């Protein structure tokens, strides 16, 4: 049998903040919070400016960098150092993220100690690696194709699916988001000291996918149906335990992408033994908490009507919630 080959346009739309990290974090010694902005300077350019102020300031800066974040009553902050040294310049390259007012409590603004960085290309633009999207698609198929007998068979199929890295994304699409856990037992949300650079809701991200086998083509041709089936199962198994006001409506075919979206979006639901999570380090009550974050309200127009991405007045979004359109390219 002749092997099929098809190319697809894959357009992802974030319906909530999405974080794909590079493993690095910023501390208060590496960003400046001023005038409603979080500014992440190029530290090399910053050091050059400090050198212009003489060896004593250089030594003071080096001592500042060595301060332990955990052993000081006053957390060492870069903005305080610059102000103490009367360094007014701010043109150190890098980039800034506008404050949304949902990052932290009012008295903690600008005092976030660790911010997980979004992955960026060599030119400093955020992007989503093809490997990240491919992993999410693999989870969809793992949950939505019962005829795939085992992990080895799935790996064989996905070895014939090639996902490009996304097109570069504007830095203006980044916001800072806090992790919130919503308990369906206590019926309350708890803000945690975990902060991430994330893509704004309704950010459009473009990829290209190649399928180089009959099985791979069948999956890509039916990907939207698979995603809808998987979401229905996820909703019945987990989401329905929570108030509808925190559950977002689907726009396009549903999927979850990136860090912080929760266990049940990252694994084969039917294979998880809940008894494993009754005790120990990863213990959880019932099926765990709903992973949320906060961001500004986003509305959109569809068929002449205005819709909101969220249904609550607390600005809670489902972390990682997205929608996609996957279409075969005509030049196949």
């Amino acid at each position: 049998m002749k092997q099929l080959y098809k190319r697809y346009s894959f357009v992802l739309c974030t319906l909530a903040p999405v974080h794909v990290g590079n493993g690095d974090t910023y501390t208060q010694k590496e960003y400046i919070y001023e005038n409603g902005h979080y500014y992440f300077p190029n530290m090399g350019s910053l050091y050059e400016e400090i050198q212009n102020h003489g060896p004593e300031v250089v030594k003071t800066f080096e001592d500042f960098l060595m301060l332990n974040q955990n052993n000081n009553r006053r957390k060492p902050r870069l903005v305080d150092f610059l102000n103490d040294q009367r360094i007014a310049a701010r043109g150190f390259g890098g980039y800034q993220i506008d404050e949304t007012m949902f990052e932290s409590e009012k008295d903690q603004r600008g005092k976030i100690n660790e911010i997980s960085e979004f992955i960026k290309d060599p030119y400093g633009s955020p992007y989503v690696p093809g490997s990240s999207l491919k992993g999410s698609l693999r989870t969809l198929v793992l949950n939505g194709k019962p005829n795939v007998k085992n992990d080895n068979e799935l790996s064989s199929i996905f070895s014939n699916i090639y996902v490009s890295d996304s097109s570069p994304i504007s830095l203006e699409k980044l916001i800072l988001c806090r992790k919130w856990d919503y308990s369906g037992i206590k019926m309350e949300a708890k803000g945690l000291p975990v902060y991430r650079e994330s893509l704004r809701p309704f950010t459009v991200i473009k990829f290209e996918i190649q399928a180089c086998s009959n099985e791979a083509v069948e999956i890509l041709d039916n990907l939207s149906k698979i995603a809808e089936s998987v979401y229905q199962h996820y909703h019945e198994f987990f989401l329905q335990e929570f108030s509808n006001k925190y559950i977002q409506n689907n726009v396009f075919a549903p999927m979850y992408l990136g860090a912080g979206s929760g266990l049940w979006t990252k694994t084969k639901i039917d294979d998880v033994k809940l008894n494993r999570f009754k005790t120990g380090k990863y213990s959880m009550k019932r099926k765990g908490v709903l992973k949320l974050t906060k961001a500004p309200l986003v509305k959109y127009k569809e068929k002449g009507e205005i819709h909101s991405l969220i249904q609550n007045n607390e600005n809670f979004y489902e972390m990682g919630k997205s929608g996609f359109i996957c279409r075969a390219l005509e030049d196949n």
Side-chain angles (χ1 to χ4, degrees), residues 111-254:
K111 299 179 182 179
I112 300 171
N113 189 40
E114 287 195 354
I115 299 171
S116 296
E117 183 181 1
F118 199 98
I119 190 168
K120 300 178 183 71
D121 66 20
Y123 301 99
S125 296
Y127 77 105
V128 176
S131 57
S132 296
L133 176 60
K134 188 173 181 178
S136 294
L137 297 180
R138 195 178 189 279
T139 301
L140 283 181
V141 175
L142 187 65
N143 280 277
K145 294 286 285 183
N147 58 322
V148 177
K149 298 181 179 62
N150 53 54
D151 193 66
N152 288 335
E153 182 178 347
L154 185 63
S155 295
S156 177
I157 294 172
F158 268 79
S159 69
N160 291 304
I161 295 177
Y162 303 91
V163 183
S164 73
D165 291 341
S166 78
S167 301
I169 304 166
S170 169
L171 284 163
E172 294 179 354
K173 295 297 184 179
L174 289 180
I175 56 175
L176 299 186
C177 291
R178 185 182 186 183
K179 177 182 179 182
W180 289 80
D181 284 351
Y182 187 87
S183 169
I185 299 173
K186 297 181 179 180
M187 303 299 286
E188 63 181 22
K190 179 181 180 182
L192 301 177
V194 177
Y195 303 87
R196 305 178 175 106
E197 288 186 340
S198 304
L199 297 176
R200 292 176 177 273
F202 242 55
T203 297
V204 175
I205 314 168
K206 297 180 180 180
F207 304 81
E208 183 176 304
I209 301 179
Q210 299 178 26
C212 302
S213 71
N214 298 332
E215 296 86 354
V217 167
E218 179 190 0
I219 283 174
L220 271 296
D221 282 347
N222 293 282
L223 194 57
S224 294
K225 292 181 180 179
I226 293 172
E228 290 164 359
S229 173
V230 170
Y231 179 81
Q232 182 177 352
H233 182 34
Y234 172 59
H235 190 281
E236 292 172 353
F237 175 82
F238 180 66
L239 291 181
Q240 70 175 5
E241 296 196 355
F242 303 91
S243 171
N244 283 335
K245 68 179 182 179
Y246 299 117
I247 310 305
Q248 295 180 240
N249 293 329
N250 294 333
V251 181
F252 311 121

Side-chain angles (χ1 to χ4, degrees), residues 28 50 73-74 120 124 138 211 215 227 242 262 283 300-301:
Q28 292 183 75
I50 289 172
R73 291 183 181 179
R74 180 188 179 192
K120 300 178 183 71
R138 195 178 189 279
E215 296 86 354
F242 303 91
S283 64
Y300 64 98
K301 182 180 288 188

Side-chain angles (χ1 to χ4, degrees), residues 28 64 74-85:
Q28 292 183 75
F64 161 79
R74 180 188 179 192
K75 298 293 184 184
R77 302 168 64 209
L78 180 56
V79 66
D80 292 336
F81 170 84
L82 295 176
N83 291 335
D84 290 345
Q85 300 301 317

Side-chain angles (χ1 to χ4, degrees), residues 256-274:
Y256 292 82
L257 179 69
S261 57
L263 168 67
W264 305 114
T265 68
K266 305 292 186 184
T267 190
K268 186 173 183 179
I269 292 174
D270 291 339
D271 284 357
V272 175
K273 307 299 182 184
L274 285 172

